[in-house]
Coordinates of all heavy atoms in Angstrom, one line a residue:
V198 N 24.1 -0.3 -3.0 CA 23.4 0.5 -2.0 C 22.4 1.4 -2.5 O 21.3 1.5 -2.0 CB 24.5 1.3 -1.2 CG1 23.8 2.3 -0.2 CG2 25.4 0.3 -0.4
S199 N 22.6 2.1 -3.6 CA 21.6 3.0 -4.2 C 20.4 2.2 -4.7 O 19.2 2.6 -4.5 CB 22.2 3.9 -5.3 OG 22.6 3.1 -6.4
T200 N 20.6 1.0 -5.3 CA 19.5 0.2 -5.8 C 18.7 -0.3 -4.6 O 17.5 -0.3 -4.6 CB 20.1 -1.0 -6.6 OG1 20.8 -0.5 -7.7 CG2 18.9 -1.9 -7.1
Y201 N 19.4 -0.7 -3.5 CA 18.7 -1.2 -2.3 C 17.8 -0.1 -1.7 O 16.7 -0.3 -1.3 CB 19.8 -1.6 -1.3 CG 19.2 -2.1 0.0 CD1 18.5 -3.3 0.2 CD2 19.2 -1.3 1.2 CE1 18.0 -3.7 1.3 CE2 18.6 -1.7 2.4 CZ 18.0 -2.9 2.4 OH 17.5 -3.3 3.6
E202 N 18.3 1.1 -1.6 CA 17.6 2.3 -1.1 C 16.3 2.6 -1.9 O 15.3 2.8 -1.4 CB 18.4 3.5 -1.0 CG 19.5 3.5 0.1 CD 18.9 3.4 1.5 OE1 17.9 4.0 1.8 OE2 19.5 2.7 2.3
V203 N 16.5 2.5 -3.2 CA 15.3 2.7 -4.1 C 14.3 1.7 -3.9 O 13.1 1.9 -3.8 CB 15.8 2.8 -5.6 CG1 14.6 2.8 -6.5 CG2 16.6 4.0 -5.8
T204 N 14.7 0.4 -3.8 CA 13.8 -0.7 -3.5 C 13.0 -0.5 -2.2 O 11.8 -0.7 -2.2 CB 14.5 -2.0 -3.5 OG1 15.2 -2.2 -4.8 CG2 13.6 -3.2 -3.4
I205 N 13.7 -0.1 -1.2 CA 13.1 0.1 0.1 C 12.1 1.2 0.0 O 11.0 1.1 0.5 CB 14.2 0.4 1.2 CG1 15.1 -0.8 1.4 CG2 13.5 0.9 2.5 CD1 14.3 -2.0 2.0
L206 N 12.4 2.3 -0.6 CA 11.5 3.4 -0.8 C 10.3 3.0 -1.6 O 9.1 3.3 -1.2 CB 12.2 4.6 -1.4 CG 13.2 5.4 -0.5 CD1 13.9 6.5 -1.3 CD2 12.5 5.9 0.7
D207 N 10.5 2.3 -2.7 CA 9.4 1.8 -3.5 C 8.4 0.9 -2.7 O 7.2 1.0 -2.8 CB 9.9 1.1 -4.7 CG 10.5 2.0 -5.8 OD1 10.2 3.2 -5.6 OD2 11.1 1.5 -6.7
S208 N 9.0 0.0 -1.8 CA 8.2 -0.9 -1.1 C 7.3 -0.1 -0.1 O 6.2 -0.4 0.2 CB 9.0 -1.9 -0.2 OG 10.1 -2.2 -0.8
K209 N 7.9 1.0 0.5 CA 7.1 1.8 1.5 C 6.0 2.4 0.8 O 4.8 2.4 1.3 CB 8.0 2.8 2.1 CG 9.0 2.2 3.1 CD 9.8 3.3 3.7 CE 10.9 2.8 4.6 NZ 11.8 3.8 5.1
Y210 N 6.2 3.0 -0.4 CA 5.1 3.6 -1.1 C 4.1 2.7 -1.6 O 2.9 2.9 -1.6 CB 5.7 4.5 -2.3 CG 6.4 5.7 -1.8 CD1 7.7 5.9 -2.1 CD2 5.8 6.6 -1.0 CE1 8.4 7.0 -1.7 CE2 6.5 7.7 -0.5 CZ 7.8 7.9 -0.9 OH 8.5 9.0 -0.4
A211 N 4.5 1.5 -2.0 CA 3.5 0.4 -2.5 C 2.7 0.0 -1.3 O 1.5 -0.2 -1.5 CB 4.3 -0.7 -3.1
A212 N 3.3 -0.2 -0.1 CA 2.5 -0.6 1.0 C 1.5 0.5 1.4 O 0.3 0.2 1.7 CB 3.4 -0.9 2.2
L213 N 1.9 1.7 1.4 CA 1.1 2.9 1.7 C -0.1 3.0 0.7 O -1.2 3.2 1.1 CB 1.9 4.2 1.7 CG 1.1 5.5 2.0 CD1 0.5 5.4 3.4 CD2 2.0 6.7 1.9
A214 N 0.2 2.7 -0.6 CA -0.9 2.8 -1.6 C -1.9 1.6 -1.4 O -3.1 1.8 -1.5 CB -0.3 2.6 -3.0
G215 N -1.4 0.4 -1.0 CA -2.3 -0.7 -0.7 C -3.2 -0.4 0.5 O -4.4 -0.7 0.5
V216 N -2.7 0.2 1.6 CA -3.5 0.6 2.8 C -4.5 1.6 2.4 O -5.6 1.6 2.8 CB -2.6 1.0 3.9 CG1 -3.4 1.6 5.0 CG2 -1.7 -0.1 4.4
L217 N -4.0 2.6 1.6 CA -5.0 3.7 1.2 C -6.1 3.1 0.4 O -7.2 3.5 0.5 CB -4.2 4.8 0.4 CG -5.0 6.0 0.0 CD1 -5.5 6.7 1.2 CD2 -4.1 6.9 -0.8
H218 N -5.8 2.2 -0.5 CA -6.8 1.6 -1.4 C -7.8 0.8 -0.5 O -9.0 0.9 -0.7 CB -6.1 0.6 -2.4 CG -7.1 0.0 -3.3 ND1 -7.7 -1.3 -3.1 CD2 -7.6 0.4 -4.5 CE1 -8.5 -1.6 -4.0 NE2 -8.5 -0.6 -4.9
E219 N -7.4 0.0 0.5 CA -8.3 -0.7 1.3 C -9.2 0.1 2.2 O -10.3 -0.3 2.5 CB -7.5 -1.6 2.3 CG -6.9 -2.9 1.7 CD -6.2 -3.8 2.7 OE1 -6.0 -3.3 3.8 OE2 -5.9 -4.9 2.4
T220 N -8.8 1.3 2.5 CA -9.6 2.2 3.4 C -10.4 3.2 2.6 O -11.2 3.9 3.3 CB -8.6 2.9 4.4 OG1 -7.7 3.7 3.6 CG2 -7.9 2.0 5.3
T221 N -10.3 3.3 1.3 CA -11.1 4.3 0.6 C -11.9 3.8 -0.5 O -12.9 4.5 -0.9 CB -10.1 5.4 0.1 OG1 -9.2 4.8 -0.8 CG2 -9.4 6.2 1.2
V222 N -11.6 2.7 -1.1 CA -12.3 2.2 -2.3 C -13.7 1.7 -1.9 O -13.9 1.2 -0.8 CB -11.5 1.1 -3.0 CG1 -11.5 -0.2 -2.1 CG2 -12.0 0.8 -4.3
L223 N -14.6 1.9 -2.8 CA -16.0 1.4 -2.6 C -16.0 -0.2 -2.7 O -15.3 -0.7 -3.5 CB -17.0 1.9 -3.6 CG -17.5 3.3 -3.3 CD1 -18.4 3.8 -4.5 CD2 -18.3 3.4 -2.0
P224 N -16.8 -0.8 -1.8 CA -16.8 -2.3 -1.9 C -17.3 -2.8 -3.2 O -18.2 -2.2 -3.8 CB -17.8 -2.7 -0.8 CG -17.8 -1.5 0.2 CD -17.5 -0.3 -0.7
S225 N -16.8 -3.9 -3.7 CA -17.2 -4.6 -4.9 C -16.9 -6.0 -4.7 O -16.1 -6.4 -3.8 CB -16.5 -4.1 -6.1 OG -15.1 -4.3 -6.0
A226 N -17.5 -6.9 -5.4 CA -17.3 -8.3 -5.3 C -15.8 -8.7 -5.4 O -15.2 -8.3 -6.4 CB -18.2 -9.1 -6.2
G227 N -15.3 -9.4 -4.5 CA -13.9 -9.8 -4.5 C -12.9 -8.8 -3.9 O -11.7 -9.1 -3.7
A228 N -13.4 -7.6 -3.5 CA -12.5 -6.6 -2.9 C -12.1 -7.0 -1.5 O -12.9 -7.5 -0.7 CB -13.2 -5.2 -2.9
R229 N -10.9 -6.7 -1.1 CA -10.4 -6.9 0.3 C -10.3 -5.5 0.9 O -9.6 -4.6 0.3 CB -9.1 -7.5 0.2 CG -8.6 -7.9 1.6 CD -7.7 -9.1 1.5 NE -7.0 -9.3 2.8 CZ -7.5 -10.0 3.8 NH1 -8.7 -10.4 3.7 NH2 -6.9 -10.2 4.9
L230 N -11.0 -5.3 2.0 CA -11.2 -3.9 2.6 C -10.9 -3.9 4.0 O -11.0 -4.9 4.7 CB -12.6 -3.5 2.3 CG -13.1 -3.5 0.9 CD1 -14.6 -3.3 0.9 CD2 -12.4 -2.4 0.1
A231 N -10.5 -2.7 4.5 CA -10.2 -2.5 5.9 C -11.5 -2.0 6.6 O -12.1 -1.0 6.0 CB -9.1 -1.6 6.1
F232 N -11.9 -2.5 7.7 CA -13.1 -2.1 8.4 C -12.8 -2.1 9.9 O -11.8 -2.7 10.3 CB -14.3 -3.0 8.2 CG -15.2 -2.7 7.0 CD1 -14.7 -2.7 5.7 CD2 -16.5 -2.3 7.2 CE1 -15.5 -2.4 4.6 CE2 -17.3 -1.9 6.2 CZ -16.9 -2.0 4.9
K233 N -13.7 -1.6 10.7 CA -13.6 -1.8 12.1 C -14.8 -2.7 12.5 O -15.8 -2.7 11.8 CB -13.8 -0.4 12.9 CG -12.7 0.6 12.7 CD -11.5 0.2 13.5 CE -10.5 1.3 13.4 NZ -9.3 1.0 14.1

């Protein structure tokens, strides 16, 4: 149970870091970015 909880928390932070990267990083060739 404790290992499962740590994995769930790590996944949430990894997903948040990915979204933050897509919305703030400067465009470069090959980059995947969030736009409107």
Side-chain angles (χ1 to χ4, degrees):
V198 169
S199 65
T200 303
Y201 177 77
E202 289 296 323
V203 168
T204 304
I205 294 298
L206 290 176
D207 287 347
S208 329
K209 288 179 185 176
Y210 290 122
L213 180 61
V216 169
L217 185 61
H218 182 266
E219 282 185 347
T220 58
T221 59
V222 71
L223 278 177
S225 63
R229 184 150 170 85
L230 305 168
F232 269 66
K233 295 281 185 186

